[in-house]
Amino acid sequence: MKKWQQMPKWFKDTMAIIVPMVILLILYDLLSPQFTHQPYSIMTLVAFPFQVLIAFALLGFYNYHKIKVNEKDKAKKAEAARIEQLKKEQQERQHEENTQRNKAVKQNRSE
C-alpha cells in the first residue's frame, strides 16, 4: 500500500481505469462466444494483451499530459497572482508617496 502511494498520479489514474476495463474485457471475451454460439477463438487470446497494452499506453500518455498541463496552468495562475500582488504593493507605495508629497506641498504653501 505504501508503494502505491509513492506512484506518480498519472500512473494511479491510469490504473484506476485500466483495471476495471481489463476485468470487463475478460468477462466479454469469456461470455461472448456463449451468447453468439461461436467457438472460442485463438485471436481473442492473442489480441487481449495487445488491447491492454495499447489502452495502458494511450491512457497513461493522456493522464501524464493532463497532469503536466494542469501544473503549467497552476504555475501561470500563481505567477499572475504574484504579479498582481506586486502591482498592488507598488500602487500602495505610490499612493503613500503621493500623499506625503501633497502634505509637503500644502505645508510649503501655508508657510
Side-chain angles (χ1 to χ4, degrees):
M1 194 63 154
K2 212 173 203 183
K3 286 187 179 185
W4 177 255
Q5 293 173 348
Q6 294 174 345
M7 295 286 181
K9 183 172 176 15
W10 69 267
F11 183 80
K12 291 189 283 188
D13 290 348
T14 301
M15 292 307 289
I17 301 295
I18 293 294
V19 171
M21 186 201 76
V22 167
I23 292 169
L24 290 173
L25 190 58
I26 289 171
L27 289 173
Y28 174 78
D29 288 344
L30 289 175
L31 297 176
S32 174
Q34 293 177 0
F35 292 130
T36 60
H37 303 293
Q38 295 179 359
Y40 287 99
S41 170
I42 192 70
M43 287 304 295
T44 301
L45 295 175
V46 172
F48 176 77
F50 292 109
Q51 291 170 337
V52 173
L53 289 175
I54 290 171
F56 179 80
L58 292 175
L59 194 57
F61 176 75
Y62 170 76
N63 284 329
Y64 180 78
H65 179 69
K66 181 178 71 169
I67 288 172
K68 290 299 178 187
V69 167
N70 287 344
E71 287 174 357
K72 286 181 183 179
D73 287 345
K74 285 181 184 178
K76 284 181 183 178
K77 288 179 183 178
E79 181 66 18
R82 187 183 70 81
I83 289 172
E84 187 65 32
Q85 182 64 27
L86 288 175
K87 285 181 181 179
K88 186 176 180 181
E89 290 173 0
Q90 184 180 10
Q91 286 176 347
E92 289 173 358
R93 280 195 306 270
Q94 187 66 38
H95 179 68
E96 185 64 34
E97 290 173 7
N98 290 343
T99 303
Q100 290 176 359
R101 190 178 311 123
N102 289 342
K103 285 181 184 178
V105 168
K106 284 181 183 180
Q107 285 179 355
N108 287 340
R109 287 184 184 170
S110 63
E111 292 177 358

